[in-house]
Amino acid sequence: MPRPLGGLRVRLVVAFAVVAAAATLTTGALTFREARTGVLQQSQDTVIEDFRERVDALAPNYPFPPARPDLASLAADVARGGRADNWRVLAAYRELSATSSPGDAFEELSPAMRAAVGSRPATVFQRVSRDGRSSLVVGMPVIYAAPRHAARERSGLELYLTVSQQEEQGYVEALVSAIERATVVALALAVVLALLAARGVLRPVRELRRATRSIAQGRLDTRLAVRGSDELADLSHSFNETAAALEESVAELRRMEAGARRFAADVSHELRTPLAAMSAVTDVLDEDAVRLDDDTAMAVRLISEETTKLTGLVNDLMEISRFDAGAADLHLDEIDLAESVRRTLSARGWQEAVGTELPEPGALRGRVDPRRLDVIVANLVANALRHGGPPVRVRLRGEGGRSAVIEVRDGGEGIDGTVLPHVFDRFYKSDNARSRSEGSGLGLAITAENARLHGGTVRAANHPDGGAVFTVVLPLRQDGAPRPATGPEKQIRP
């Protein structure tokens, strides 16, 4: 049986992978942020400190107010600092400005940063990315402390530094690659751990599944091996206790059922002898009833009728007990089914009361049990005559050369919808079912058992034109065809 895509193993693996991915990505993101901040902060602090030292050392050596050549010379001297290859410097005084490299447009410097440097005495910095290249821009106002002034004051001279951070960017990209590789490794490890965990978790689950299937197939002695003391071990222990209780209950029910069957069979068997004697007596009394007074004759006829009903009930109980015990058997014979139906109706004197729609003699033949076919037809017709209304019709037809279909329809009011599912139940009675409730209550149940024994089906329904219709489908077996299994555990469903 293929495992569903949403099985427990898949869910465990996905859960482990999601948790590992979330943990790895969170850790990686935090590590990346801290590492990136550390790398850039260290580079930034070094550049700003070096820039400030160069400006403080060189700015006093130039005349003030400076001319454009002075600004160009100052920018060039500052650019020849600790990072001469990367530094680009702009010196500005009011409307004058000059760069360390002639023609340098110094595009990284924004108006906002110029305004910030012009309004603050502190050093200002900004990271700028242009065309995929990252740079650090530092701005610093020059403040003089001349002897004629009591305090330091802004001179109006401003210096700006641009330093490429491609090296630092490379460090950051390498860090990202390392985190990505670590994430892949963590996910792979999580999947492996998930598979191992799933294997450990699913092993007892699979054993539990096999055990439940085994119990469902009737092997109630199935038990699980209890390993460890975790929740799965508790589940296995609970399953074993449940299975043991179920086995005990089923065994007790089977003993009670077997006892009930034996009791019914024994009682029915014991009643047959006295009933036979009573039938003989009632036959004699029926012959003499015409010479008796009215009250005595009525009592004799009542006794005779009830004795006949009791005899039928005992015979039906004996038949049902054989089905329950699995002792019912088929004695198949090749017969003409239409002729068999005619004999059933004729033997009971129903030719005038029951209409027929039968094939021509010899047109429909099959291997069936003649006695059981007679019981099926007789019980259905008797049920229609007793509980239905005229006209009662019996129809026999073949179906594809593989089965025979017998339909018995009456002209009564039909069967209530709530009763239909129960018409083949034993001793089922319903005030709403039919106007009267004569008979043993076992006739339709015996009919269903006989149909099942042949490997056929029987169902009850209401005809669209009124009345109830019972339909029996019997397979037309060939010689050597296997017979259906028998036993009380199989029940036919109408």
Side-chain angles (χ1 to χ4, degrees):
M1 179 178 178
R3 293 189 179 92
L5 294 178
L8 184 57
R9 181 189 297 275
V10 175
R11 293 199 296 270
L12 283 174
V13 172
V14 171
F16 269 78
V18 169
V19 171
T24 304
L25 291 176
T26 303
T27 304
L30 295 175
T31 303
F32 169 75
R33 187 182 68 177
E34 294 299 325
R36 179 178 180 273
T37 302
V39 169
L40 296 179
Q41 186 69 39
Q42 182 180 5
S43 172
Q44 168 190 305
D45 292 345
T46 302
V47 169
I48 293 176
E49 182 179 359
D50 196 5
F51 181 51
R52 183 182 296 114
E53 290 177 354
R54 296 290 295 173
V55 171
D56 290 344
L58 295 174
N61 298 329
Y62 286 86
F64 188 84
R68 185 180 297 277
D70 298 328
L71 294 176
S73 178
L74 176 59
D77 286 344
V78 174
R80 288 192 291 270
R83 298 189 177 188
D85 295 337
N86 295 328
W87 282 21
R88 293 162 47 223
V89 179
L90 169 68
Y93 180 75
R94 296 181 180 176
E95 302 300 330
L96 301 177
S97 64
T99 60
S100 58
S101 300
D104 189 352
F106 225 87
E107 296 177 349
E108 295 86 353
L109 182 60
S110 64
M113 189 167 184
R114 287 291 300 268
V117 173
S119 61
R120 299 179 185 177
T123 302
V124 179
F125 67 91
Q126 183 181 25
R127 294 188 183 93
V128 179
S129 179
R130 292 176 62 87
D131 301 329
R133 295 178 175 273
S134 179
S135 301
L136 175 65
V137 181
V138 183
M140 177 186 299
V142 177
I143 300 176
Y144 287 115
R148 63 180 181 273
H149 297 291
R152 296 169 63 90
E153 63 178 10
R154 298 172 61 85
S155 64
L157 176 63
E158 300 171 354
L159 280 90
Y160 298 92
L161 167 66
T162 299
V163 181
S164 174
Q165 291 195 310
Q166 288 301 111
E167 183 177 355
E168 288 78 3
Q169 188 66 30
Y171 293 154
V172 173
E173 291 176 356
L175 182 61
V176 171
S177 299
I179 292 175
E180 290 176 350
R181 290 192 296 270
T183 301
V184 173
V185 173
L187 286 177
L189 181 60
V191 170
V192 173
L193 292 176
L195 291 174
L196 294 176
R199 182 180 180 183
V201 171
L202 293 180
R203 182 186 299 110
V205 174
R206 286 194 295 267
E207 292 177 355
L208 178 61
R209 181 181 62 186
R210 287 194 293 267
T212 54
R213 287 180 177 176
S214 178
I215 286 183
Q217 293 170 358
R219 295 189 289 272
L220 301 181
D221 58 344
T222 303
R223 299 292 184 272
L224 290 175
V226 181
R227 303 183 182 91
S229 58
D230 55 6
E231 289 81 359
L232 292 175
D234 292 340
L235 178 62
S236 300
H237 184 70
S238 299
F239 174 86
N240 291 340
E241 291 181 344
T242 303
L246 177 62
E247 183 180 17
E248 183 178 353
S249 298
V250 171
E252 180 65 22
L253 288 174
R254 287 175 176 172
R255 286 194 295 269
M256 293 173 62
E257 185 180 8
R261 290 172 184 166
R262 286 194 301 271
F263 176 78
D266 292 344
V267 169
S268 301
H269 181 75
E270 293 298 327
L271 286 175
R272 296 185 72 177
T273 300
L275 282 175
M278 292 172 62
S279 297
V281 172
T282 55
D283 290 342
V284 174
L285 292 176
D286 285 340
E287 294 177 358
D288 295 337
V290 294
R291 293 189 295 272
L292 300 175
D293 60 85
D294 292 342
D295 292 339
T296 305
M298 182 180 298
V300 168
R301 293 190 184 94
L302 179 61
I303 293 174
S304 178
E305 291 176 0
E306 294 303 321
T307 302
T308 302
K309 290 180 182 179
L310 184 58
T311 302
L313 175 60
V314 170
N315 291 333
D316 288 347
L317 286 174
M318 291 291 293
E319 187 73 7
I320 283 292
S321 66
R322 281 192 289 269
F323 283 118
D324 289 344
D329 203 356
L330 286 176
H331 300 281
L332 300 178
D333 194 8
E334 181 81 18
I335 64 171
D336 183 344
L337 273 65
E339 182 61 27
S340 177
V341 172
R342 291 190 185 95
R343 284 199 300 267
T344 299
L345 300 178
S346 176
R348 292 161 177 82
W350 291 337
Q351 302 95 319
E352 301 298 329
V354 178
T356 59
E357 186 178 339
L358 306 175
E360 294 296 327
L364 184 61
R365 301 183 63 84
R367 286 181 58 79
V368 298
D369 187 324
R371 186 184 72 83
R372 297 191 182 279
L373 177 61
D374 175 77
V375 171
I376 291 173
V377 176
N379 284 350
L380 291 180
V381 173
N383 180 77
L385 292 172
R386 182 181 302 117
H387 299 296
V392 175
R393 296 190 61 81
V394 177
R395 181 187 179 193
L396 173 65
R397 57 184 172 85
E399 193 172 72
R402 296 184 302 272
S403 58
V405 179
I406 303 172
E407 293 181 355
V408 178
R409 177 188 170 191
D410 62 56
E413 298 178 356
I415 306 174
D416 188 89
T418 60
V419 177
L420 273 175
H422 306 287
V423 294
F424 296 103
D425 294 349
R426 300 175 184 181
F427 298 110
Y428 183 78
K429 302 285 184 181
S430 174
D431 294 337
N432 298 325
R434 298 297 176 98
S435 58
R436 293 176 293 171
S437 58
E438 300 176 0
S440 67
L442 294 174
L444 293 180
I446 292 175
T447 299
E449 292 289 351
N450 279 310
R452 180 200 58 78
L453 197 61
H454 279 86
T457 60
V458 59
R459 63 180 182 272
N462 288 317
H463 197 276
D465 297 331
V469 57
F470 288 81
T471 305
V472 179
V473 180
L474 298 178
L476 298 177
R477 271 192 213 83
Q478 303 298 323
D479 289 335
R483 55 161 292 181
T486 60
E489 72 279 358
K490 293 185 176 289
Q491 296 183 1
I492 191 163
R493 295 185 177 182

